[in-house]
């Protein structure tokens, strides 16, 4: 049953202004009502990325990680197997792509922060490191 949020006021001692949507403080005390756009977000608005995304989701509309577990779930994210920000900007368009649901995409992103890149295949999960990028890319293009 939904409950009414108790922390609707700013967390700054003595402030009774309403808190922002992003954190516990009002705008005056450092709260934010929106997340700033990252410099790299603009590449996701390019025609090239839209084409890659549309192609990947039409080829594989189901989450590949869920399929590895025997679960059927619609994919809504197109994931770079190798985090392009770790490899370089050239890896944004030249990568191995996979379709994932939101939960699995978030989990995989957390693993990438530890240097683990997971590729979900029909034969199960394969994990890679940054050093495997060139080999895997070459292997998938042959």
């Amino acid at each position: 049953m939904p409950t009414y949020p108790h922390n609707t006021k700013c967390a700054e001692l003595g402030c009774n202004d309403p808190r922002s949507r992003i954190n516990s403080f009002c705008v005056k005390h450092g709260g934010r009502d929106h997340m700033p756009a990252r410099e790299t977000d603009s590449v996701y608005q390019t025609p090239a990325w839209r084409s890659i995304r549309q192609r990947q989701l039409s080829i594989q509309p189901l989450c590949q990680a869920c399929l590895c577990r025997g679960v059927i779930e619609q994919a809504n994210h197109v994931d770079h197997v190798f985090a392009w920000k770790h490899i370089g900007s050239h890896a944004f368009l030249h990568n191995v792509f996979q379709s994932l649901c939101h939960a699995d995409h978030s989990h995989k992103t957390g693993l990438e922060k530890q240097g683990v890149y997971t590729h979900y295949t029909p034969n199960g999960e394969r994990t890679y490191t940054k050093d495997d990028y060139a080999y895997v890319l070459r292997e998938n293009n042959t």
Side-chain angles (χ1 to χ4, degrees):
M1 175 176 219
T3 60
Y4 185 77
H6 298 300
N7 57 345
T8 60
K9 301 292 181 196
C10 177
E12 182 73 23
L13 187 61
C15 182
N16 288 323
D17 290 342
R19 64 174 275 188
S20 66
R21 289 183 291 186
I22 303 295
N23 59 20
S24 300
F25 296 94
C26 67
V27 176
K28 184 169 55 177
H29 291 112
R32 293 182 296 174
D33 281 334
H34 66 281
M35 295 296 287
R38 295 178 292 192
E39 293 176 23
T40 56
D41 287 349
S42 63
V43 295
Y44 289 99
Q45 305 307 318
T46 61
W49 173 250
R50 285 192 202 121
S51 175
I52 288 170
R53 185 177 191 284
Q54 182 178 12
R55 181 178 184 274
Q56 178 62 36
L57 289 175
S58 66
I59 291 170
Q60 181 55 268
L62 302 176
C63 173
Q64 291 174 230
C66 290
L67 288 174
C68 285
R69 295 188 301 270
V71 177
I72 295 176
E73 181 75 35
Q74 181 179 348
N76 45 19
H77 290 272
V78 173
D79 176 66
H80 294 81
V81 170
F82 293 91
W84 66 274
K85 293 177 186 176
H86 299 174
I87 306 294
S89 60
H90 66 281
F92 183 75
L93 298 176
H94 303 287
N95 211 314
V96 179
F97 302 102
Q98 58 188 352
S99 303
L100 297 177
C101 66
H102 180 74
D104 286 315
H105 187 257
S106 295
H107 175 73
K108 182 183 174 294
T109 301
L111 291 174
E112 288 172 352
K113 293 176 182 173
Q114 301 168 14
V116 177
Y117 305 103
T118 308
H119 187 196
Y120 301 98
T121 69
N123 299 325
E125 287 183 31
R126 300 200 57 190
T127 56
Y128 300 111
T129 65
K130 184 178 176 180
D131 298 331
D132 296 323
Y133 169 74
Y135 172 76
V136 173
L137 198 63
R138 191 169 40 252
E139 184 180 88
N140 282 308
N141 287 331
T142 55

